[in-house]
């Protein structure tokens, strides 16, 4: 049984192929088109999935779409009616698009599939639609290593639901209760993303990264005016302060008056005020999420929890759930946003619509490390790099690991492209830029010289799975870089009295541990535990680096520059290498040094992409 799952037309388009209940391929469209957050029909991602499985569209039993457009249209209409006459301009702009395209999405999907992959596709018999939050819940529960679990989905909004609680058992999955639009934790966080001058739907992680530089001074102001939270985590937002229902902005003038400052423009300086606002909404988000989890544990009695939806990418909140031990075990879908809905739609069709049984493995979850994208054979890598006029040396595995570890120990930035591309927003050691975490200059250097982004942005540590507890106050594993935990106290550096008095960005340049490049200003780190079963080559590099330096940790950030999607192909990797200050590139067994390349091939990425 072959089922193609699709997510498209709203945020990150993606395709996933499930064969007999197993995820065999999944990828976001942006990785192929090189258009960040591409929301168009994912024809290139579909083509990859078919190529990976060696099939065509006519060999697919069903195509499952991740939400129901008619229900979303109903929500749009009812919202405008409820708030009329406010929001007429927004209504006037939205209606033509909905009436022309989105309302008739079944026909649109059918045409796109036939145009791209052949005329024989039977839309009426083979095209299925899942509800948005059910797709999220299915993406979290079915690949999890749990026979039964509670499932919490939190995002901006699907059709109507913004937060939902479900319970899974075997191949059964049932949504028990929901919080509906306009009351949304995801939209609340996005409102603050907008207010602090970052781009909604892509800048939320910047807000989270900014929070540790501030103090949560405005928690009471938020709780007293913007959100009413009950003991079980259910909540309502005061719409007097927001414009997202009817306007073209997230917040209104009353919101700005409440905090005493106007909306920050993207080019304006970040001040201590913005850091304090970020810290405050982060603290509120964590409190709401913790209450939701406690209530879900009481209601279901479940020992295991699965998370999905965009809010599940808030790794600081996830770390609080893990630390409090509300549930015995926690599993988070690595592609927790809308792209992951493609996986969920396919799995929901297989297990719910078709009632097919589910096999659970405690040794490896169904995402298999999230390495579900394209891979390139060594001879193909060499041919593609040669076509780019790249200068490289082909090394055997042992020498390649040795030279890479040596370059890292010399504090060089290393572009690392190996095996299958990751599915989801995180680079997990196959499309990564790596660095030495012991370097005091590495965080600032990578941000400004390589990634071309804000200097405050934190980097994640990759650590060999057996070494996690030696370096971090964390029991368990975090393979998907979705949990934050403190650096172990014995690895920390005591700050001087003068350093303790620093505020805001001034804190950035103070080394706090033996691995300062991955230690945030509050001594936290977003951990990725690396396992030999899912990524043997990256694990081997960590072990080799430990042999050379005594440190089993590497800086791991996504292989891209600001405004560009994560690299997919050897050509993408070489262009990023030549357009940044990355000093070494390793693609498969090909080893490239920047000084050996033709200077005429250098690119200027600083102006090549729309910065977000």
């Amino acid at each position: 049984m072959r089922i193609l799952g699709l997510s498209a037309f709203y945020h990150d388009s993606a395709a996933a192929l499930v064969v007999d209940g197993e995820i065999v391929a999944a990828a976001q469209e942006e990785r192929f088109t090189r258009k960040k957050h591409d929301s168009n029909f994912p024809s290139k991602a579909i083509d990859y999935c078919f190529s990976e499985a060696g099939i065509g569209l006519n060999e697919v039993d069903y195509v499952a779409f991740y939400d129901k457009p008619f229900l979303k249209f109903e929500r749009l209409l009812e919202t405008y009616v409820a708030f009329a006459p406010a929001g007429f301009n927004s209504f006037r702009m939205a209606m033509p698009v909905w009436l022309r395209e989105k309302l008739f999405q079944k026909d649109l999907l059918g045409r796109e599939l036939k145009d791209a992959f052949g005329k024989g596709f039977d839309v009426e018999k083979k095209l299925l639609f899942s509800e948005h939050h059910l797709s999220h819940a299915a993406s979290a529960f079915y690949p999890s290593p749990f026979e039964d679990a509670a499932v919490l989905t939190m995002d901006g909004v699907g059709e109507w639901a913004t937060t939902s609680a479900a319970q899974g058992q075997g191949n059964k999955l049932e949504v028990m209760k929901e919080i509906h639009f306009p009351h949304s934790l995801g939209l609340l966080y996005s409102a603050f993303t907008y207010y602090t001058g970052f781009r909604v739907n892509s800048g939320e992680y910047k807000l989270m990264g900014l929070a540790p530089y501030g103090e949560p001074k405005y928690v009471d102001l938020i709780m007293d005016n913007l959100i009413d939270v009950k003991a079980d985590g259910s909540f309502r937002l005061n719409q007097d302060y927001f414009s997202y229902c009817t306007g073209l902005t997230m917040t209104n003038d009353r919101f700005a008056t409440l905090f005493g400052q106007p909306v920050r423009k993207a080019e304006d300086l970040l001040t201590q005020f913005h850091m304090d606002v970020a810290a405050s909404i982060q603290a509120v988000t964590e409190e709401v999420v913790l209450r939701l989890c406690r209530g879900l544990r009481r209601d279901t009695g479940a020992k295991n929890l699965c998370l999905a939806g965009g809010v599940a990418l808030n790794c600081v909140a996830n770390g609080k759930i893990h630390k409090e031990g509300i549930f015995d075990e926690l599993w988070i879908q690595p592609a927790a946003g809308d792209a992951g809905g493609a996986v969920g739609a396919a799995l929901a069709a297989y297990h719910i619509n078709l009632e097919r049984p589910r096999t659970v493995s405690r040794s490896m979850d169904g995402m298999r490390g999230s390495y579900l994208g394209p891979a390139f054979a060594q001879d193909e890598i060499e041919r593609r790099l040669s076509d780019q006029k790249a200068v490289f040396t082909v090394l055997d595995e042992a020498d390649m690991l040795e030279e890479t570890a040596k370059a890292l120990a010399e504090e060089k930035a290393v572009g690392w492209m190996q095996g299958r591309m990751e599915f989801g927003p995180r680079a997990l050691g196959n499309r990564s830029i790596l660095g030495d975490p012991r370097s005091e200059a590495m965080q600032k250097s990578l941000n400004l010289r390589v990634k071309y982004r804000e200097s405050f942005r934190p980097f994640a540590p990759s650590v060999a799975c057996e070494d996690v507890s030696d370096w971090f106050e964390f029991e368990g594993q975090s393979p998907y870089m979705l949990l934050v935990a403190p650096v172990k106290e014995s690895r920390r550096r005591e700050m001087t009295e003068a350093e303790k008095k620093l505020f805001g960005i001034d804190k950035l340049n103070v080394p706090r541990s033996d691995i300062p490049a991955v230690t945030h200003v509050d001594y936290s780190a977003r951990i990725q535990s690396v396992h030999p079963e899912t990524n043997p080559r990256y694990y081997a590099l960590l072990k080799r680096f430990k042999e050379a330096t005594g440190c089993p940790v590497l800086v791991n950030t996504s292989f891209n520059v600001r405004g560009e999607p994560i690299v997919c192909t050897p050509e993408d990797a070489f262009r990023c290498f030549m357009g940044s200050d990355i000093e070494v590139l390793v693609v498969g067994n090909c080893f490239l040094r920047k000084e050996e390349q033709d200077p005429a091939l250098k690119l200027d990425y600083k102006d090549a992409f729309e910065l977000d």
Side-chain angles (χ1 to χ4, degrees):
M1 178 66 67
R2 302 182 181 100
I3 301 177
L4 178 69
L6 300 180
S7 164
F9 306 130
Y10 297 102
H11 296 306
D12 297 285
S13 292
L17 185 65
V18 169
V19 178
D20 295 333
E22 180 183 349
I23 308 164
V24 299
Q28 293 113 291
E29 186 72 359
E30 66 164 22
R31 306 294 171 84
F32 305 97
T33 63
R34 312 310 299 157
K35 177 184 176 183
K36 195 165 186 180
H37 304 302
D38 194 341
S39 61
N40 293 307
F41 181 76
S43 57
K44 294 182 183 299
I46 295 170
D47 194 44
Y48 153 67
C49 289
F50 288 165
S51 175
E52 182 68 29
I55 63 171
L57 178 62
N58 290 336
E59 296 168 89
V60 170
D61 295 286
Y62 293 97
V63 175
F65 193 68
Y66 82 126
D67 71 0
K68 293 186 175 180
F70 270 108
L71 289 179
K72 192 165 284 189
F73 184 68
E74 174 189 81
R75 186 250 300 167
L76 187 73
L77 279 180
E78 288 194 19
T79 299
Y80 282 126
V81 168
F83 284 87
F88 177 74
N89 285 337
S90 176
F91 177 81
R92 180 172 54 83
M93 292 174 66
M95 278 304 102
V97 176
W98 271 96
L99 293 174
R100 185 175 66 250
E101 299 174 6
K102 297 184 178 181
L103 187 57
F104 302 102
Q105 216 151 72
K106 186 173 183 178
D107 291 340
L108 175 62
L109 284 166
R111 288 199 306 273
E112 293 277 12
L113 287 164
K114 288 178 180 179
D115 289 346
F117 302 105
K119 303 294 184 183
F121 182 73
D122 189 330
V123 174
E124 292 302 321
K125 290 183 178 179
K126 290 189 173 184
L127 187 56
L128 306 174
F129 290 84
S130 174
E131 289 196 22
H132 188 97
H133 268 231
L134 181 62
S135 295
H136 276 314
S139 79
F141 175 62
Y142 288 123
S144 78
F146 308 137
E147 179 65 30
D148 56 86
V151 186
L152 180 61
T153 297
M154 304 167 288
D155 64 3
V157 60
E159 295 90 1
W160 277 104
T162 68
T163 304
S164 64
Q167 191 158 17
Q169 172 73 48
N171 70 337
K172 307 294 184 185
L173 179 63
E174 182 181 359
V175 176
M176 301 181 298
K177 54 184 179 180
E178 299 176 335
I179 297 172
H180 283 181
F181 182 87
H183 308 291
S184 166
L185 188 58
L187 291 177
L188 175 66
Y189 205 86
S190 291
F192 280 87
T193 301
Y194 166 80
Y195 181 65
T196 51
F198 301 119
R199 184 177 293 180
V200 172
N201 291 329
S202 66
E204 283 75 10
Y205 53 92
K206 299 180 185 180
L207 189 67
M208 182 177 65
L210 191 64
Y213 294 95
E215 299 293 330
K217 296 179 178 179
Y218 303 105
V219 168
D220 289 343
L221 190 70
I222 295 169
M223 289 290 211
D224 291 343
N225 294 277
L226 301 184
I227 184 169
D228 177 24
V229 190
K230 304 303 182 185
D232 66 353
S234 58
F235 58 86
R236 293 182 65 82
L237 301 187
N238 184 349
Q239 292 301 309
D240 291 343
Y241 294 92
F242 303 97
S243 294
Y244 57 77
C245 280
T246 57
L248 302 177
T249 61
M250 293 299 296
T251 63
N252 57 29
D253 291 342
R254 189 170 180 179
F255 187 103
T257 300
L258 180 67
F259 287 93
Q261 290 201 26
V263 174
R264 172 182 167 264
K265 296 178 181 178
E267 65 272 15
D268 289 349
L269 187 69
L270 282 165
T271 68
Q272 189 62 50
F273 167 75
H274 300 110
M275 298 170 203
D276 292 341
V277 167
S280 301
I281 188 55
Q282 179 63 34
V284 169
T285 300
E286 291 166 16
E287 179 60 25
V288 176
V289 170
L290 287 172
R291 290 190 195 183
L292 284 165
C293 289
R294 294 182 198 121
L296 195 53
R297 177 67 191 255
R298 285 193 304 269
D299 291 346
T300 65
K303 295 180 179 180
N304 306 311
L305 175 67
C306 300
L307 293 177
V311 178
L313 294 172
N314 192 308
C315 51
V316 181
N318 296 342
K320 297 289 178 68
I321 298 170
H322 182 275
K323 183 178 180 181
E324 189 166 312
I326 300 170
F327 289 84
D328 294 1
E329 292 192 67
L330 173 65
W331 193 86
I332 307 160
Q333 166 57 245
D338 276 8
V343 166
L347 290 172
Y350 185 78
H351 293 295
I352 298 174
N353 294 62
L354 302 176
E355 299 183 340
R356 295 299 177 95
R358 171 173 173 251
T359 301
V360 178
S361 171
R362 294 293 294 174
S363 60
M364 185 182 297
D365 64 56
M367 292 296 290
R368 296 183 297 166
S370 212
Y371 306 113
L372 297 167
F376 299 86
Q378 180 62 30
D379 59 348
E380 186 178 8
I381 291 170
E382 293 174 27
R383 177 182 58 78
R384 286 170 174 252
L385 289 176
S386 295
D387 288 346
Q388 297 293 306
K389 298 181 172 57
V391 177
F392 57 88
T393 302
V394 179
L395 304 173
D396 63 27
E397 175 123 351
D399 287 342
M400 182 271 288
L401 294 171
E402 177 69 27
E403 289 299 315
T404 305
K406 181 181 176 182
L408 289 164
E410 293 171 352
E411 298 190 13
K412 289 182 168 65
V414 175
W416 176 258
M417 177 182 161
Q418 305 291 331
R420 296 185 71 176
M421 182 178 69
E422 300 90 337
F423 180 55
R426 310 288 188 222
L428 300 171
N430 279 3
R431 302 290 188 277
S432 294
I433 298 171
L434 307 178
D436 186 344
R438 303 169 303 156
S439 168
E440 294 182 9
M442 186 60 66
Q443 180 186 359
K444 191 170 184 178
S445 175
L446 283 178
N447 271 325
L448 298 180
R449 292 172 50 242
V450 175
K451 300 283 282 187
Y452 304 135
R453 67 184 194 181
E454 302 89 346
S455 61
F456 69 83
R457 300 271 293 278
F459 290 112
S462 291
V463 55
C465 55
E466 67 270 23
D467 292 315
V468 172
S469 60
D470 290 339
W471 288 81
F472 303 97
E473 292 180 359
F474 185 84
E475 295 298 328
Q477 300 298 330
S478 177
Y480 297 121
M481 207 186 285
L482 287 170
L483 293 167
V484 162
V487 172
K488 204 170 183 75
E489 197 154 347
S490 62
R491 305 287 183 180
R492 299 182 191 178
R493 171 188 169 274
E494 185 66 30
M495 295 175 66
T496 66
E497 289 303 315
E499 289 169 342
K500 290 178 182 177
K501 294 177 182 178
L502 294 173
F503 286 95
I505 296 296
D506 290 336
K507 298 176 180 179
L508 178 64
N509 297 322
V510 178
R512 282 173 162 70
S513 76
D514 296 340
I515 44 174
V518 293
T519 304
H520 214 0
V521 294
D522 57 357
Y523 289 104
S524 70
R526 177 161 50 94
I527 302 164
Q528 181 203 0
S529 56
V530 180
H531 303 254
E533 298 84 2
T534 54
N535 199 330
R537 182 166 276 196
Y538 190 35
Y539 176 84
L541 178 62
L542 284 162
K543 301 303 285 185
R544 185 65 198 91
F545 186 73
K546 182 181 181 180
E547 290 170 8
T549 65
C551 177
V553 181
L554 287 174
V555 176
N556 178 8
T557 187
S558 57
F559 197 163
N560 64 316
V561 295
R562 183 184 183 192
E564 182 197 31
I566 294 172
V567 303
C568 175
T569 66
E571 293 92 336
D572 298 334
F574 183 70
R575 284 192 292 266
C576 190
F577 172 57
M578 295 304 294
S580 69
D581 284 344
I582 296 173
E583 292 142 298
V584 170
L585 173 63
V586 188
V587 185
N589 286 60
C590 296
F591 195 90
L592 295 80
R593 300 182 188 276
K594 179 64 68 65
E595 64 269 20
E596 296 174 355
Q597 307 306 312
D598 182 351
L601 298 175
K602 184 171 175 60
L603 300 173
D604 186 0
Y605 262 169
K606 291 183 181 179
D607 299 317
F609 294 93
E610 179 185 1
L611 302 186
D612 63 357

